[in-house]
Each structure stands twice: as structure tokens, then as C-alpha cells.
Amino acid sequence: MAKDLFLEIGCEEIPAGFVPKAMADMEALMKRELETARIEFGEIVTLGTPRRLVLAVKGMAERQPDAELTAMGPAKSAAYDADGNPTKAAQGFARGQGVEVADLKVVMTPKGEYLAAVKSEVGRDTAELLPEMLPRLIGNIPFKKSMRWADFDVRFARPIHWIVALYGGTVVPFSFGNIESGSASRGHRFMANNTFPVRDLAHYLEECERHFVIPDPEKRKAIIRQEIDRVARQAKGNVLPDEALLEQVSFLVEYPSAVHGTFSPDFLVVPREVLITSMREHQRYFSLVDDQGKLLPGFITINNTLTEDPSVVVKGNERVLRARLSDARFFFDEDHKVKLETRVESLKSVVYQAKLGTSYEKMERFRELAKGLASRHNPAVVDKAARAATLCKADLVSGMVGEFPEVQGIMGREYALHDGEDAAVANAIAEHYLPTQAGGELPASDIGAFVSLADKIDTICGCFSVGLIPTGSADPYALRRSALGIINIILDKGYREPVSGLVRASLELLAAKATRPVEDVYKDVIEFFRGRFVNLMADRYPSDVVDAVVSVSFEDLVEAAAKIQALAEFRKREDFAALAGAFKRVGNIVKEGVDTPVAADLFQEPAEGALYEAQQQVKQKVDAALSGADYLAALTEIATLKPAVDLFFDKVMVMAEDEKVRGNRLALLTSIARLFGSLADFARLSA
């Protein structure tokens, strides 16, 4: 009979960002444990608050099934000598498996004959396995940072205070550090700081709510959303949508309630982004706007308790916010005393990276790149692109950005407008940081796009030039994000900008700083971009389609993306498998192909002439489709060659004895292969 498992880990407040990942990790770890133990199970549920992580498994089998386990040993040739006596390899393997050499069996594998130890294992009761399994699971939850407490030889995100572990309503006995598992949980730290018994998940959820705890993150989010909407209506405003903040706040509280506070309208002279950032990043407040989207002098904060006198909480929050906004206004007023252009000179004393020089040197490099991009794609804005590049890092040395780093670029735009700079230049200063995250907003203007591309490619090529290359686990300069930003901007804008040319131009400007051979850096950066592009496209299209196109065409990202889209659509044809098979057959025969022209006078079979005539007609249509970037039309035209290709293979012996005839037939097939090979490598496509 199946039973349910319930586990709660109660501890001191876990950082909000740790909880969602810990919930996912608990589910994955539990699933792995149960599968390894051969225990059948049903749904796994995970919940979490700042003070507790919960895992419940429904329908766990009461016992492991019996199993026959096979352990592979050495090859038979190494296990016995010429006289058939067991070698040390065989003896050692048998000893390690706890069996006699005579009990070992010889099994056939794809690599040949090997020794194997086959043992029967009697299944154990789940209740017997859980005391071993659960402490291991708790200790294996991977936190970004974990800690020890007292002198116990265990680690966790924060010190653990209680553990509830029940299987079928019965306590699973084990210890973790100084904590013994039991059946008693605890209520809200401030509103119901007492224990209560737990029978199962349903009972636990009921008792938690009675003790002012909402364990389900989704339910907490729904409550917070209702609360902030209610308070916003009372304040005659609307909540500024912020799903990321809602997610974060939901893991800061166990029992949410909302209150409304205000700040002086005088602070509204400060750019709204600064006010919103100060409220969101530093205080976790939700901002309020009117029906036209204009920022209101108010905020909503989420408490972890129900307060008898909300005015006390409001005054405290208003006092803290007033201090932050006063700082912001002070820096805003002081920064206006110095023109943004004047601050550019100060970048000479700001070290961007020890091996790559100052921020001023970096600006000079990517300014040249931005001018080059503008001259190729929108010559009318070359001067504005250069001006935006010159000014775009100047706000880094302003007081406001020094205090509120999150508003870099935004303040550059505000200060540029205050100084009378062209609005297009000012907007490009803010846009050049975009996108700031995967799937984020992209620069709207060409000027912003040129400066953003230039800045990002300089960062990537600069880091690769001095050996600062991302690893599987570390990317301190966010080079992957920069590469994806470049790719997405190019695709969004439709710039036909060769990746190789952009990289070469950047590496030339970095020559004096490079500590690695330029060709090595070039190859590494190109491969880095290829990997990011493939990953991005593979999120949208089948991976083999992406591979088939990228292996042939990667230089022009816009073209490559369009070919991938066309091939993915073309692949939906019912006859695709047959078409791909025919193209693969052609490619397998010609391999690299031959460069001699096709000679019609060497044809010996009508099928040769028919294929040649079809190829000539199709080539004209394919060339026209390619010139118009209509890659689906090109593929569709190529597909019409299949009957002629099939007839050719039915009637013609490609490898004729006559060398000239054989070479001519290979040349004909080469012309076919190169026709579809300009679009994709069909050999890389799965059927």
C-alpha cells in the first residue's frame, strides 16, 4: 500500500533569492533518490517561505522491489591467463563484489566478452530507507552560500531549528546536526510563535494558516497582488506592474499584508527611474502611478505581520524612504552643476580593467566601432553615434550613479537633455546598455544600437584578448549576455553585418592591449558567438535544423536566422524525409565535389541530360529566390529536382569505368549538391 511522505525544514530566515531554487533542487534530489532506490512514487510537491522548506511526495511504495543487479568487471581476456586460471584482475573484482570467482559470469557486450557479477538484492522497506535518505537530501541542497553553526558538522543556508518528517503519518527518525526529526512544526515567528502537530500535507496547510503562515508561494503571490491592488484603489492610484518585485517580495514574508505610504511631491523633480529604483531596489516598495502612467508620490510596502496600528509602520517606512530620496535629490542637484561633457575627462582616471586600461580608452575604442557601424548602416547619423559614444559612460563618475548604480545610462540621458544635447544622442546614451537581461528591451534607435553593439563587442574581444574567457561556471564580465545582446540587436534591426568583420575591427583597436595571439583570439570569439547563436536558435527551432544551417552559413546572422526559419518550415512537408534522403545521397557521393564544368557531350544516358536540364532551370529560379532572401521559395524549387535525381540514380552508374564520363557525372552531382548546400547541410538533418 502506498503512503505519503511529508518533510519540513524549519530554520532562520533564508535569503529570498535562495528559496525558489532550493524548492526546485529539493524536488530533483528527491526524485533522484527515489529512482535510485527503485521506490515507486506519485506527485512531488515543494513549498517554501523565508523560514521553512517543505517537500511532500504522494503515493510512495512501502517497499523496494527485489532486484537482480549486474556489476561489470574486467574483460575475459584480462581475467584469465593462458591456462584458464583467474588472474589478479578477476580475483580482485570478485572480492570487491563479495562473491567467489567461480560465481562470476561471462557476458557478451559490444566491446567483447567481459566478466560480470550478478547478485540478487532483496528489497527493503521504504520506512527503513528514509532515515538514510532524508538527511542526505537535506545536506545536498545546493545553496549559493551556506553556513555552519555551533560545532556541528553540517551545512545549510541558515541554522535549522526544527524538522518534521512523516511517512504515512509516522515520524521518520533521524538527526541533522543537533536537530532530531519529529512531528511538530511552528507558527509565525511574531504572531504565533508556538508549535503545532502535523499529520500530513493537507493538515499542515490548514494548521499553518491558523498560525499565520502561508507556505504556498503562489498563494502568497496571489494575496500580495490582491492586497496591493486593494491599497492602490484606496490611494486613488494604480500599481506600477513589477512581476520581478512581486516574486521577490513573496519570498520575504510568510503572512503578507499591505500598507500605503507617501513622500513629498517635491521629490518628483528627480527622474522617475531614480525614484522607482530607490523604492524597488532598496526598500522593496511598489510604486504608484495615475491613469496616465504618471508617477504618484506614494508607495505600497508589504509587511510580514498584521499590525495593530498601521500608521506606525507607515511612518517608519516613510522616514527611511525620505532619507533615500533626499540623497537622490541632493546628487541630482549637485550633478547638474557639472556638464556631462566635462565628466568625460574624468574617465581617464577610472580603471575599466587592469589589462584593458581606463574607461576613457575603452570609450575611444568603441566610439570608432560605432562610427564604422553607422557609416555602413545609416551614414546620416555617424556624427550623432560618435557623440553618443563619447558621452555614454560619463555618468559613471556622477554622484547619482555612484550612489544608485542601477540608473547608469538613464542619468546620462537626463543630464544630456539638461545640457541641451540632441534628444537622439541623449536617448542613445540610455539605450546603449540594452538589453540588460535575456529577452529584455532592445535599443529602439539606430544610434543606440550602434553604440550598444560597439560597446559590447569591445568588451567581448577585450576580455578574450587578455585571457578573461568565460568558463562553464563563471562569467564575471557577463560576456555571454553581451554576445546574446549583440545577436538580438542585429536580428532585430536586420543589419547585414558580418560577425567576422565586427570582430576583426575590434581586435585591431585592441592590438596594443592583447596578451594573446590575435588569430587565436579571433577563432575563440567567432566560436563563442557561434555557440550563443546556436543556443538562441535552438530555443526556437529544432536543433538539427539549426546545426544544418549554421554549419554552412553563420557569417551573416540575419541570413542564417532566415534560412533556419525557412528550413524548419520546409521540414514540415510530408515528403521531406524522401527529399532529405535524396539530397543526402548526392552529398555522400560527391563529398567535397569536383570543380570541372559539366560537359553535355559526355552524357551517355537520357537521365543525365534530363537532370542537367532540370538543374539549369531550377538554378535560375533558386538564384532569383536567394537574391530576394526568399529561402523557403529556394528550398521549394530545389525540391522539384527530386524526380530527376531519382531517375538519374536508377538509370546511371555514377562510377563509370571511363574516367571522363565518371568525372562528368560527379561534376553534375556536384552542381546539384552545391545548389542545396548553399542553404544547409542536409546530412546533418535527422529524418
Side-chain angles (χ1 to χ4, degrees), residues 439-458:
E441 181 185 0
L442 299 173
S445 71
D446 276 344
I447 303 172
F450 298 148
V451 179
S452 180
L453 290 171
D455 183 20
K456 289 175 173 59
I457 194 65
D458 176 81

Short mmCIF file of all heavy atoms in Angstrom, two decimals, residues 439-458:
data_model
loop_
_atom_site.label_atom_id
_atom_site.label_comp_id
_atom_site.label_asym_id
_atom_site.label_seq_id
_atom_site.Cartn_x
_atom_site.Cartn_y
_atom_site.Cartn_z
N GLY A 439 16.03 38.37 -23.18
CA GLY A 439 14.67 38.70 -23.58
C GLY A 439 14.28 40.12 -23.25
O GLY A 439 13.12 40.50 -23.38
N GLY A 440 15.26 40.94 -22.80
CA GLY A 440 14.96 42.31 -22.40
C GLY A 440 14.78 43.26 -23.58
O GLY A 440 15.01 42.90 -24.74
N GLU A 441 14.38 44.48 -23.24
CA GLU A 441 14.16 45.52 -24.25
C GLU A 441 15.44 45.79 -25.03
O GLU A 441 16.54 45.81 -24.48
CB GLU A 441 13.68 46.79 -23.55
CG GLU A 441 13.39 47.95 -24.47
CD GLU A 441 13.03 49.22 -23.72
OE1 GLU A 441 13.01 49.18 -22.47
OE2 GLU A 441 12.78 50.26 -24.38
N LEU A 442 15.28 46.03 -26.35
CA LEU A 442 16.42 46.31 -27.22
C LEU A 442 16.43 47.79 -27.59
O LEU A 442 15.40 48.47 -27.49
CB LEU A 442 16.33 45.46 -28.49
CG LEU A 442 16.35 43.94 -28.29
CD1 LEU A 442 16.06 43.23 -29.60
CD2 LEU A 442 17.68 43.49 -27.72
N PRO A 443 17.58 48.33 -28.02
CA PRO A 443 17.63 49.73 -28.43
C PRO A 443 16.62 50.01 -29.54
O PRO A 443 16.53 49.26 -30.51
CB PRO A 443 19.07 49.90 -28.93
CG PRO A 443 19.85 48.84 -28.23
CD PRO A 443 18.91 47.69 -28.11
N ALA A 444 15.88 51.09 -29.39
CA ALA A 444 14.87 51.43 -30.40
C ALA A 444 15.49 52.17 -31.58
O ALA A 444 15.04 52.04 -32.72
CB ALA A 444 13.77 52.27 -29.77
N SER A 445 16.51 52.96 -31.33
CA SER A 445 17.11 53.78 -32.39
C SER A 445 18.36 53.13 -32.96
O SER A 445 19.02 52.31 -32.31
CB SER A 445 17.48 55.16 -31.83
OG SER A 445 18.58 55.06 -30.94
N ASP A 446 18.70 53.51 -34.18
CA ASP A 446 19.94 53.04 -34.79
C ASP A 446 21.15 53.53 -33.99
O ASP A 446 22.11 52.78 -33.79
CB ASP A 446 20.05 53.55 -36.23
CG ASP A 446 19.30 52.67 -37.22
OD1 ASP A 446 18.96 51.53 -36.85
OD2 ASP A 446 19.06 53.11 -38.35
N ILE A 447 21.08 54.77 -33.53
CA ILE A 447 22.23 55.32 -32.80
C ILE A 447 22.48 54.51 -31.53
O ILE A 447 23.62 54.11 -31.25
CB ILE A 447 21.98 56.81 -32.44
CG1 ILE A 447 21.71 57.63 -33.70
CG2 ILE A 447 23.17 57.38 -31.69
CD1 ILE A 447 21.27 59.06 -33.42
N GLY A 448 21.43 54.24 -30.78
CA GLY A 448 21.58 53.43 -29.58
C GLY A 448 22.08 52.03 -29.90
O GLY A 448 22.90 51.47 -29.16
N ALA A 449 21.60 51.46 -31.02
CA ALA A 449 22.02 50.12 -31.41
C ALA A 449 23.50 50.10 -31.79
O ALA A 449 24.25 49.20 -31.40
CB ALA A 449 21.18 49.63 -32.58
N PHE A 450 23.95 51.11 -32.52
CA PHE A 450 25.36 51.16 -32.94
C PHE A 450 26.28 51.25 -31.73
O PHE A 450 27.29 50.55 -31.64
CB PHE A 450 25.61 52.35 -33.87
CG PHE A 450 24.83 52.30 -35.16
CD1 PHE A 450 24.41 53.47 -35.78
CD2 PHE A 450 24.53 51.09 -35.76
CE1 PHE A 450 23.70 53.43 -36.97
CE2 PHE A 450 23.81 51.04 -36.95
CZ PHE A 450 23.39 52.21 -37.55
N VAL A 451 25.95 52.11 -30.79
CA VAL A 451 26.80 52.28 -29.61
C VAL A 451 26.75 51.03 -28.73
O VAL A 451 27.77 50.60 -28.20
CB VAL A 451 26.37 53.54 -28.81
CG1 VAL A 451 27.25 53.69 -27.57
CG2 VAL A 451 26.47 54.79 -29.67
N SER A 452 25.57 50.44 -28.61
CA SER A 452 25.44 49.21 -27.82
C SER A 452 26.27 48.08 -28.42
O SER A 452 27.01 47.38 -27.72
CB SER A 452 23.97 48.79 -27.74
OG SER A 452 23.82 47.62 -26.98
N LEU A 453 26.16 47.89 -29.73
CA LEU A 453 26.94 46.85 -30.41
C LEU A 453 28.43 47.09 -30.23
O LEU A 453 29.20 46.16 -29.94
CB LEU A 453 26.60 46.82 -31.90
CG LEU A 453 25.21 46.31 -32.28
CD1 LEU A 453 24.95 46.56 -33.77
CD2 LEU A 453 25.07 44.83 -31.98
N ALA A 454 28.84 48.33 -30.39
CA ALA A 454 30.27 48.66 -30.31
C ALA A 454 30.81 48.43 -28.90
O ALA A 454 31.89 47.85 -28.72
CB ALA A 454 30.48 50.12 -30.72
N ASP A 455 30.07 48.88 -27.91
CA ASP A 455 30.49 48.70 -26.52
C ASP A 455 30.60 47.22 -26.18
O ASP A 455 31.58 46.76 -25.57
CB ASP A 455 29.48 49.40 -25.60
CG ASP A 455 29.86 49.33 -24.13
OD1 ASP A 455 31.06 49.10 -23.83
OD2 ASP A 455 28.98 49.50 -23.28
N LYS A 456 29.62 46.44 -26.58
CA LYS A 456 29.58 45.02 -26.23
C LYS A 456 30.67 44.23 -26.95
O LYS A 456 31.30 43.34 -26.36
CB LYS A 456 28.20 44.45 -26.52
CG LYS A 456 27.11 44.94 -25.56
CD LYS A 456 25.74 44.45 -25.98
CE LYS A 456 24.67 44.80 -24.94
NZ LYS A 456 24.55 46.24 -24.67
N ILE A 457 30.90 44.51 -28.22
CA ILE A 457 31.93 43.75 -28.94
C ILE A 457 33.32 44.10 -28.40
O ILE A 457 34.20 43.25 -28.33
CB ILE A 457 31.85 43.98 -30.47
CG1 ILE A 457 32.69 42.92 -31.20
CG2 ILE A 457 32.31 45.37 -30.86
CD1 ILE A 457 32.19 41.52 -31.06
N ASP A 458 33.52 45.36 -27.98
CA ASP A 458 34.80 45.73 -27.37
C ASP A 458 35.01 44.97 -26.06
O ASP A 458 36.11 44.53 -25.76
CB ASP A 458 34.85 47.24 -27.12
CG ASP A 458 36.12 47.65 -26.40
OD1 ASP A 458 37.17 47.79 -27.08
OD2 ASP A 458 36.08 47.81 -25.16
#
